[in-house]
Amino acid sequence: MTSVGDIFSPRPLEGRVALIAGGSSGINLGIAQRFASAGAKVVILSRDEERITAAARTITDAGHVAYGRAADVRNFEAVASVFKEASERFGLIDVVVSGAAGNFHAPAASLSANGFKTVVDIDLIGNFNVLRASFPFLRTPGASLMSITAPGGTHPSVFQVHANSAKAGINMTVKCLAMEWGPAGIRVNAISPGPISGTTGMAKLAASPEREQQIKARLPLREYGSIRDIADTALFLASDNAKYITGAIIDCDGGSGLGDASADALLKATQR
Ligand code: NAP
C-alpha cells in the first residue's frame, strides 16, 4: 500500500511545502509545476515580478496552490524574508530547490573579472544564501534540499570557467551541508542535468541547429533531456523513497558526464 511521501502514490507531496529559487522559468518552473501536481504548496522565488506572477499562474490555473515573491539570491536578507513569509503562510518548509543561475559562453581570455564574479555571486553565493536562509524554517526531521548543478561542476569544458567554477563550489557546498545537517534529519543533494531542450540555458549554449547536432552526437543517449526528466528526478529526491540519499550529485544527463561518445567506430559497433 502506498502513502503520502511515497513516489508511487498519486500525490506523494500532499500537504508538503516546497520553495523553488529560480522557479519562474525553465527547469525550475517545471519542477515547481511537478511538485504542485504531486500535492505540494509551492512558493516561487526569483527577481522579476511579472515573470513570477505568470509562473505562479500556470500552477494555480491548473487547480494547485502556489504564489511567488521577488528576491535576488545575492541578497541574504531578502531571501530569508521570503522563507519567513512562506513558513508563516504554509507552515514549515519540507522541500527546497536552489536553481537560480545565469550563464553565457565566454573564452577565459576575454571574460571580465566582473563577469566571472557575477556568475559566482548568483550561482555559488546565491545557492549558499538559499540553503542557509532556509535552515530556521525547515521541517526536521524530514526536509529535502536540492541544488541544481551541472556536469561542468565535475568535468571541465571550454568557455565555461565562470559557470563551472561556481557549479564545482555548489557540489562541495551540498556535500558539506549534508554532513552538518544530516544529524538534524535534513537531506542535501544536487541534480546535475545534461542538455535540456526548451531551456534558456541550451538556447544560449547551442544557438544553432548545427551546434545542437554536434552536442547530441557526443551524448551516449544521443538526445537532449526534457524538463520533465529533471522534474521527475527532483520529485524522487523530494519523496520519502529517497530518505537514505544525502550528499549525492545525481546525474540526469543522458550520460554526458561519461565523456564524448561520438567515435565513428562506436557508431559502427552498435549498429543493428
Ligand atoms: P532559466 O530558465 O534561465 O532559469 C533561471 C532562473 O533563475 C530564472 O527563474 C531566473 O529568473 C532566476 N534567477 C536568475 N538570477 C537570479 C537571481 N540573481 N536571483 C534570483 N533568481 C534569479 O534557466 P534553465 O536553463 O532552466 O536552468 C535552470 C538551472 O538548471 C540552472 O541552475 C542551470 O545552471 C541548470 N542547468 C541547466 C541546463 C540546461 O540544459 N538548461 C543544464 C545543466 C544545468 P529572473 O531572471 O527573473 O530572476
Side-chain angles (χ1 to χ4, degrees):
M1 205 175 96
T2 60
S3 60
V4 171
D6 188 323
I7 198 169
F8 299 107
S9 75
R11 285 166 65 85
L13 302 186
E14 187 70 57
R16 300 199 178 177
V17 180
L19 189 143
I20 322 291
S24 65
S25 63
I27 290 171
N28 304 317
L29 175 57
I31 293 173
Q33 292 165 335
R34 186 85 180 97
F35 284 1
S37 66
K41 295 172 186 151
V42 166
V43 182
I44 288 172
L45 177 163
S46 60
R47 288 171 302 184
D48 185 289
E49 287 280 5
E50 266 182 39
R51 278 158 46 88
I52 294 167
T53 305
R57 196 169 299 130
T58 66
I59 294 173
T60 53
D61 283 355
H64 308 305
V65 181
Y67 76 92
R69 285 288 175 268
D72 192 314
V73 294
R74 291 170 287 190
N75 180 339
F76 180 84
E77 297 307 327
V79 173
S81 75
V82 178
F83 275 104
K84 184 168 186 294
E85 183 191 346
S87 67
E88 285 165 0
R89 199 160 156 177
F90 288 154
L92 291 171
I93 312 292
D94 298 282
V95 186
V96 176
V97 176
S98 172
N103 198 8
F104 48 86
H105 250 197
S110 57
L111 176 66
S112 69
N114 195 46
F116 186 93
K117 181 178 182 306
T118 300
V119 171
V120 168
D121 278 348
I122 296 173
D123 293 24
L124 176 58
I125 311 288
N127 176 66
F128 178 77
N129 287 345
V130 169
L131 299 181
R132 172 63 186 86
S134 75
F135 186 78
F137 306 103
L138 296 175
R139 184 180 310 285
T140 56
S144 173
L145 279 45
M146 63 196 87
S147 300
I148 310 298
T149 184
T154 319
H155 310 283
S157 55
V158 298
F159 308 149
Q160 287 287 279
V161 63
H162 44 310
N164 289 354
S165 300
K167 295 295 193 186
I170 287 175
N171 293 351
M172 186 52 75
T173 304
V174 160
K175 288 172 190 282
C176 291
L177 295 185
M179 285 187 82
E180 290 200 27
W181 294 356
I186 300 166
R187 295 184 294 111
V188 191
N189 293 289
I191 300 173
S192 179
I196 302 300
S197 60
T199 60
T200 317
M202 286 321 291
K204 281 188 193 164
L205 299 181
S208 68
E210 294 74 29
R211 179 76 188 123
E212 188 174 323
Q213 284 315 314
Q214 282 169 358
I215 293 173
K216 286 181 179 172
R218 287 196 208 123
L219 284 171
L221 291 185
R222 296 286 191 267
E223 276 301 334
Y224 281 3
S226 66
I227 289 176
R228 176 65 185 246
D229 290 328
I230 306 303
D232 284 344
T233 307
L235 181 60
F236 169 67
L237 275 180
S239 77
D240 294 348
N241 300 77
K243 68 180 173 25
Y244 205 51
I245 300 178
T246 197
I249 313 297
I250 309 279
D251 296 330
C252 183
D253 66 355
S256 73
L258 301 173
D260 181 345
S262 63
D264 286 347
L266 174 64
L267 289 178
K268 287 196 192 98
T270 53
Q271 248 158 24
R272 287 149 56 93

